[in-house]
Amino acid sequence: MSYAGPEFEPSSRRRSPMRRALIVALGVLVPGAVLGWVVYQGAPGGSDGADRAPAGTATSAGDGKEPSASAKPYSAAPLKGKVVVIDPGHNPENFRHTAEINRKVDIGTNRKECDTTGTSTNSGYTEARFTLDVAHRLRALLQRQGATVKLTQDGDRPYGPCVDERARIGNAAHADAVVSVHADGSGAGNRGFHVILPAAVREGDADTRAIAKPSRDLGELIATDFAHSTGTEPSNYVGDGSGLVTRRDLGGLNLSTVPKVFIECGNMRDTKDAALLTSGAWRQKAAQGISEGIVSFLRG
Ligand code: ZN
């Protein structure tokens, strides 16, 4: 407690009862407000797996960031004019629409299911809930930086979208960066995150030659910042420890004409990773890491 207001100063004059009451009230209210803010910032969404996003987390000037001696000139909205599309993998209602999501769509290199249900932890926390929650947190962080943010789905449609449509949403938005958020469903003991990059593909409707390099740049920055923010290691089962994997079999990447990566934030089927993925505090760190990677990419 470092409060050292007038009521603790030696005073040679008497204060009125009204003034004393006001000072006491302020002494109670101000620390309470500060504590409330700290608690809110520290544990948005809680750790119960609930899909409570920190909606409306715009804190005006209250995020504590001040102009400092950095290489970049300070800007309150460094991503102003930039468009970021967040693609929350799967859809919480996909499992009710198996016929629709099993329909094959053209992804350039071949035909593939429209969408899939995604995985879940052993205790039943679904990947689709995870991806939406991280997407909401990420959206709030990017909007705070001034970006225009669009989600490919927000639990607001019965299923999907299909993977080809997910790619087209980013293309139509002329997105400066697109991130598809996922968590993996691998074997127990397989741990860690990995970022999936598009291979340079030219086949059918797929032509990723122009986006392969910027997508790699985006993916490398996200991988670095995600590891730093979450304190987790790159995957121990794919990517040879780099946290990066290049693929040519994902429609969401093959059909993209704008820089795009996927991130598998962890393995839902491993109990240690699942403990992280089901923690709201950890998901906030995950969103923070992804956001920082995007900001680095877009500021150049
Ligand atoms: Zn997935």
Side-chain angles (χ1 to χ4, degrees), residues 224-300:
T224 299
D225 288 334
F226 187 89
H228 184 257
S229 177
T230 62
T232 52
E233 298 284 331
S235 169
N236 66 4
Y237 59 99
V238 286
D240 296 324
S242 69
L244 300 169
V245 175
T246 302
R247 288 176 61 170
R248 52 181 294 121
D249 63 327
L250 297 174
L253 293 180
N254 284 1
L255 300 176
S256 184
T257 58
V258 292
K260 180 172 181 179
V261 299
F262 280 40
I263 181 163
E264 299 279 3
C265 295
N267 175 19
M268 299 200 103
R269 291 293 180 180
D270 176 82
T271 53
K272 288 179 180 166
D273 269 14
L276 302 176
L277 296 162
T278 55
S279 157
W282 189 87
R283 293 196 296 273
Q284 186 65 23
K285 293 178 189 173
Q288 184 72 40
I290 298 169
S291 172
E292 287 169 6
I294 293 171
V295 170
S296 298
F297 175 73
L298 294 181
R299 295 195 74 186

Side-chain angles (χ1 to χ4, degrees), residues 93-110:
E93 299 299 309
N94 271 358
F95 75 98
R96 299 184 199 276
H97 298 273
T98 51
E100 291 94 334
I101 66 169
N102 285 334
R103 178 174 66 85
K104 295 280 198 335
V105 297
D106 188 344
I107 67 162
T109 50
N110 57 301

Side-chain angles (χ1 to χ4, degrees), residues 4-285:
E7 70 175 313
F8 300 116
E9 291 172 358
S11 175
S12 59
R13 62 188 172 84
R14 299 176 69 85
R15 297 192 177 103
S16 72
M18 182 67 82
R19 180 178 161 88
R20 292 182 65 84
L22 181 62
I23 290 168
V24 170
L26 280 173
V28 170
L29 287 174
V30 170
V34 170
L35 178 63
W37 184 85
V38 169
V39 169
Y40 177 75
Q41 290 291 311
S47 58
D48 58 359
D51 284 331
R52 284 187 293 126
T57 49
T59 54
S60 63
D63 62 2
K65 288 182 180 157
E66 296 293 336
S68 60
S70 64
K72 297 276 181 185
Y74 176 78
S75 168
L79 298 192
K80 189 168 172 31
K82 300 292 186 183
V83 177
V84 179
V85 169
I86 305 171
D87 178 35
H90 316 283
N91 178 316
E93 299 299 309
N94 271 358
F95 75 98
R96 299 184 199 276
H97 298 273
T98 51
E100 291 94 334
I101 66 169
N102 285 334
R103 178 174 66 85
K104 295 280 198 335
V105 297
D106 188 344
I107 67 162
T109 50
N110 57 301
R111 294 180 67 79
K112 213 166 170 182
E113 290 78 14
C114 151
D115 207 6
T116 55
T117 58
T119 187
S120 70
T121 66
N122 293 334
S123 60
Y125 178 60
T126 65
E127 182 187 357
R129 287 179 64 198
F130 171 84
T131 65
L132 264 185
D133 182 80
V134 172
H136 291 157
R137 295 170 189 274
L138 179 55
R139 176 173 61 186
L141 291 166
L142 291 168
Q143 286 177 334
R144 206 179 294 171
Q145 300 281 321
T148 299
V149 182
K150 183 177 175 62
L151 268 59
T152 58
Q153 59 95 8
D154 196 4
D156 52 356
R157 47 186 297 160
Y159 66 92
C162 296
V163 292
D164 55 340
E165 187 182 349
R166 288 175 186 265
R168 281 197 291 269
I169 290 170
N171 299 345
H174 302 289
D176 295 289
V178 185
V179 176
S180 190
V181 179
H182 290 259
D184 212 355
S186 188
N190 288 342
R191 296 198 61 195
F193 73 90
H194 65 279
V195 176
I196 304 174
L197 315 172
V201 169
R202 187 188 183 194
E203 203 170 332
D205 287 340
D207 187 352
T208 57
R209 292 173 298 169
I211 66 154
K213 172 67 170 70
S215 297
R216 170 169 282 275
D217 293 342
L218 172 64
E220 288 177 348
L221 289 165
I222 289 176
T224 299
D225 288 334
F226 187 89
H228 184 257
S229 177
T230 62
T232 52
E233 298 284 331
S235 169
N236 66 4
Y237 59 99
V238 286
D240 296 324
S242 69
L244 300 169
V245 175
T246 302
R247 288 176 61 170
R248 52 181 294 121
D249 63 327
L250 297 174
L253 293 180
N254 284 1
L255 300 176
S256 184
T257 58
V258 292
K260 180 172 181 179
V261 299
F262 280 40
I263 181 163
E264 299 279 3
C265 295
N267 175 19
M268 299 200 103
R269 291 293 180 180
D270 176 82
T271 53
K272 288 179 180 166
D273 269 14
L276 302 176
L277 296 162
T278 55
S279 157
W282 189 87
R283 293 196 296 273
Q284 186 65 23
K285 293 178 189 173

